[in-house]
Amino acid sequence: MKAAPFAYARPTSPLDVVAELAAAQTHGEAKIIAGGQSLMPVLAMRMGRPTTLVDVTRVEAWQQIEAGEHVRIGAAVPQRAVERRRDLRVPLLSRALPWIGHREIRSRGTVCGSLAHADPASELPAVALTLGARFCVRGPKGDKELAAGEFFRGAMTTALQPGEVLQYVDFPRARPGQGFGFAEIARRHGDFALVGITTMVESENGRVRRARIGAFGVADRPRVIDVTDAVAHLLSGELQRADVSRVADALTEAADSLVTTGGDRHASAAYRRRLVRVLGGRELIAAAQHSRKGTR
Ligand SMILES: Cc1cc2nc3c(=O)[nH]c(=O)nc-3n(C[C@H](O)[C@H](O)[C@H](O)COP(=O)(O)OP(=O)(O)OC[C@H]3O[C@@H](n4cnc5c(N)ncnc54)[C@H](O)[C@@H]3O)c2cc1C
């Protein structure tokens, strides 16, 4: 099938993007297009029929990756451009990017587009949630900033309202004493995840101060839980039997709480819980070890 006819606008300033969206909405439905890697299949299958597409990739201010206190990634930045940067110090993002589809898809697909699309099996929403990324949204009423936890509302559903655009996202850079882990199981490389895991551990003087496990492909949106208490002794060197069983219990609880999908033809809920337990344990230990050695 082919997409239904639509008007196409390619503004070059943030102001004009919002104006084009507002104008288009007076006589139909306007949609933003960035890389088109998720939107074009939707249009081609006529699962959506917007009357106007507003292309954000020519907005110069949104073509930048700024590495300051945070790493700020604009709406027009392709995933591959971030993947190629070696100086960003956001290790979890760097670990996750190569798992998105294939290189050709990442060359057009944008980081902000993936976040705005909010597929529950996508890598980047889980990375953003685990790291506590901040989302800057522009709309007719001006700019607003949202935490990742406020942004994702459900399957393919975010806090974005009609007429609003995600301008950029800020990822915190890794600090000394932080370690990260990432793992994904998919049927073939490039497929969406059956289950994916993100972990973050902060340690100081050989003691875990903060630990989180995130998961994707397990619920209607990415999920993250805090497991600091359960893994506080993970780096103590002389793990007691009680410490090990506390970690095992925490992983079972994490799997039960994170996996809320009822299962599908690719994997049952029980299999997904098992993957969360096994991969979550492995990546938690890896993150804890990295946190002790220095950030990775
Ligand atoms: C074969 C294939 C395999 C893939 N595998 C994976 C995978 O394993 N993991 C994964 O995460 N993704 C995967 N993808 C999707 C890919 O990552 C997309 O690039 C991404 O989901 C959307 O980014 P985009 O820039 O292409 O957005 P578009 O397709 O242009 O837009 C997607 C949606 O987001 C909205 N949107 C885009 N940008 C903004 C913005 N700045 N503000 C507000 N709304 C916006 C659009 O209106 C649209 O609703 C795959 C795609 C293909 C075709």
Side-chain angles (χ1 to χ4, degrees), residues 103-145:
R103 196 165 50 187
E104 294 75 7
I105 287 155
R106 300 195 297 276
S107 296
R108 293 203 75 91
T110 61
V111 168
C112 287
S114 173
L115 297 169
H117 191 56
D119 190 307
S122 270
E123 291 79 2
L124 297 186
V127 168
L129 193 63
T130 306
L131 296 180
R134 310 282 306 174
F135 292 64
C136 182
V137 173
R138 171 169 284 217
K141 294 184 191 148
D143 291 355
K144 63 182 171 191
E145 203 183 274

Side-chain angles (χ1 to χ4, degrees), residues 31-41 56 75 79 99-102 105 108-110 112-114 116-117 121-123 160 164-166 190-192:
K31 268 250 166 240
I32 289 164
I33 183 162
Q37 298 301 294
S38 296
L39 185 59
M40 286 319 293
V56 294
Q79 295 151 9
W99 288 86
I100 301 175
H102 304 277
I105 287 155
R108 293 203 75 91
T110 61
C112 287
S114 173
H117 191 56
S122 270
E123 291 79 2
L160 286 168
E164 290 185 339
V165 53
L166 175 59
D191 282 3
F192 277 93

